[in-house]
Amino acid sequence: MRALTLHGKHDVRVETVPDPEILNPRDAIIKVTATAICGSDLHLYDGVIPGMKPGDIIGHEFMGEVVEAGPKSTLRNGQKVVVPFTISCGSCYFCSKQQYSACDNSNPVETQDLTEPLYGHAMGGLFGYSHLTGGYAGGQAEYVRVPFSDVGPIVVPDGVDDEKVLFLSDNLPTGWMAAENCDIEEGDTIAVWGCGPVGLFAIQSALAMGAHRVIAIDHYPRRLELAGSLGAEAINFTQTRVGEALMEMTGGIGPDAVIDAVGMEAHGFAPDNIADVIKQKIGVAADRGHALREALVSCRKGGRVSVPGVYGGFLDKFPLGALMQKGLQLRTGQTHVQRYTAPLLEKIMSGELDTTFLVSHRISLEDAPGGYRNFHGNQNEWTKVVMRPE
């Protein structure tokens, strides 16, 4: 089959690789009909996520048609399914609490040791996101093996266009959980750093949950325009001092809750970010946390901090004093996708949520290297890329 493989920093190739096979009775094989480039795929593309090997198949947002199912899978050939990027067994301690991304059984024993010393516990399994998370082949391919297929995939009703439901695999539930972690109350103002796909879905979700006001922070005009189309007010951080603007916009109180949808590769020329960029390039630090620092300092006293942005290593100049002295609550984590797919599918089908507004480009799998290059380098115009392997 054809698949997109990573060979190093900014080096992705479409190659012919062996077809996936059923390895466990609970497996299924999916013929991918649509897949997308996620913002977190750019961390792989930039070479800042450890644990990748040359030739790894990447991609964790995908859906498709079941073409083979193991004897213990609940799927049937011909069903159209969306597959969560988190791989979960459904029966361990964490899955029983619906903390699916913390699954204890999806990261194989031979790769658990890669994260246990770093984080204290082994990470759960993820599709196409390094050998730290199990080394599973990703979905930017013609076919993919789906472990625990009786737990993760959600069956899509017949006749539904792929683009309406594709983002159930990651971006939509990630934005939804980011907003949910804000414990939004009537009259709340929510500030969102980053208007990429997760940030935009977090804005949409916060408003759907009853936020009185959402303020979007970015520097790409088109992405701020998309945020505005959802009902958010905009701050361009290249033109405005974000902290001062937020205080002014909230009557000197600060946002009730803040969302960092940027993560480990913050942009801009703030002094702390310039220092982080230098340290990241010479390999003495893994994360550029300017957005998180700014969010923590900007949040009102007693407020809530939600971090869906991806971080992988260590961060210095972390404003721990602001977190403690202001009594902030901090929530973060990989998304428990399986918890959200069914209720969010209902909202899509009822028309309550539109997931297609941010798609800017549609390309074939063979054009994926160019898609990555543009999604990375032309982020104002390339807001979301959907690929079709067929």
Side-chain angles (χ1 to χ4, degrees):
M1 69 169 183
R2 302 288 280 169
L4 187 72
T5 57
L6 183 72
H7 289 268
K9 183 177 179 180
H10 300 167
D11 183 0
V12 291
R13 308 170 193 173
V14 180
E15 298 182 310
T16 299
V17 301
D19 289 352
E21 299 177 349
I22 297 284
L23 301 178
N24 183 286
R26 296 171 71 181
D27 287 353
I29 304 296
I30 305 295
K31 181 181 180 182
V32 178
T33 56
T35 179
I37 305 176
C38 178
S40 58
D41 286 328
L42 296 183
H43 301 321
L44 301 174
Y45 190 65
D46 283 336
V48 297
I49 297 291
M52 296 298 294
K53 297 180 180 178
D56 280 345
I57 301 171
I58 58 177
H60 57 270
E61 285 188 297
F62 60 93
M63 62 177 296
E65 179 185 334
V66 180
V67 293
E68 187 178 0
K72 292 188 178 180
S73 173
T74 53
L75 300 177
R76 301 189 307 276
N77 288 1
Q79 287 180 317
K80 181 72 75 71
V81 295
V82 178
V83 182
F85 78 96
T86 46
I87 303 171
S88 310
C89 75
S91 57
C92 70
Y93 174 85
F94 300 101
C95 287
S96 69
K97 291 180 173 293
Q98 293 196 318
Q99 295 174 332
Y100 294 103
S101 68
C103 177
D104 242 355
N105 293 323
S106 57
N107 194 342
V109 172
E110 58 268 27
T111 52
Q112 286 189 1
D113 288 347
L114 296 174
T115 51
E116 194 166 343
L118 184 63
Y119 301 137
H121 298 80
M123 293 178 66
L126 305 177
F127 286 101
Y129 217 77
S130 93
H131 294 263
L132 303 180
T133 59
Y136 290 96
Q140 289 169 1
E142 289 184 300
Y143 297 91
V144 62
R145 178 177 79 92
V146 177
F148 302 117
S149 65
D150 54 325
V151 177
I154 183 167
V155 178
V156 177
D158 292 339
V160 176
D161 185 78
D162 284 3
E163 284 187 15
K164 289 187 68 172
V165 294
L166 172 60
F167 307 128
L168 284 168
S169 55
D170 176 359
N171 284 172
L172 179 59
T174 297
W176 188 268
M177 191 172 101
E180 188 177 79
N181 281 342
C182 290
D183 287 337
I184 294 170
E185 300 173 355
E186 186 177 350
D188 272 356
T189 295
I190 314 298
V192 180
W193 274 255
C195 295
V198 168
L200 290 169
F201 281 135
I203 291 167
Q204 186 184 44
S205 300
L207 291 167
M209 292 179 192
H212 172 67
R213 191 178 185 193
V214 175
I215 301 171
I217 301 150
D218 206 302
H219 66 306
Y220 292 113
R222 175 57 184 156
R223 295 186 177 214
L224 286 171
E225 186 178 305
L226 286 172
S229 72
L230 296 171
E233 300 166 62
I235 293 178
N236 185 326
F237 68 75
T238 64
Q239 301 172 359
T240 308
R241 291 181 181 275
V242 173
E244 292 177 5
L246 288 171
M247 288 296 281
E248 185 175 334
M249 296 168 79
T250 57
I253 293 177
D256 299 288
V258 295
I259 297 175
D260 169 13
V262 175
M264 65 194 297
E265 292 192 273
H267 294 261
F269 297 99
D272 63 316
N273 200 48
I274 293 172
D276 285 344
V277 170
I278 294 170
K279 287 188 289 186
Q280 197 174 63
K281 285 185 181 298
I282 62 176
V284 298
D287 297 332
R288 304 192 324 240
H290 172 73
L292 178 58
R293 296 187 192 101
E294 194 168 64
L296 284 162
V297 172
S298 300
C299 191
R300 74 159 169 81
K301 291 182 283 187
R304 290 88 67 190
V305 181
S306 170
V307 185
V310 173
Y311 290 92
F314 297 92
L315 177 66
D316 62 8
K317 301 181 292 298
F318 181 81
L320 183 59
L323 182 71
M324 188 274 168
Q325 296 293 345
K326 294 200 294 184
L328 304 179
Q329 300 177 50
L330 174 64
R331 292 184 181 175
T332 183
Q334 296 284 4
T335 309
H336 307 303
V337 180
Q338 291 86 339
R339 184 195 298 175
Y340 300 104
T341 47
L344 289 176
L345 176 62
E346 286 185 13
K347 291 182 184 298
I348 292 170
M349 298 309 296
S350 69
E352 184 178 346
L353 291 178
D354 167 34
T355 63
T356 61
F357 69 93
L358 75 174
V359 178
S360 60
H361 291 80
R362 299 164 178 85
I363 62 176
S364 69
L365 179 65
E366 295 294 327
D367 292 329
Y372 266 83
R373 190 163 53 249
N374 281 293
F375 190 52
H376 180 269
N378 299 313
Q379 294 190 18
N380 186 56
E381 295 80 14
W382 289 64
T383 54
K384 189 66 182 179
V385 185
V386 173
M387 297 188 289
R388 302 273 186 173
E390 299 171 306

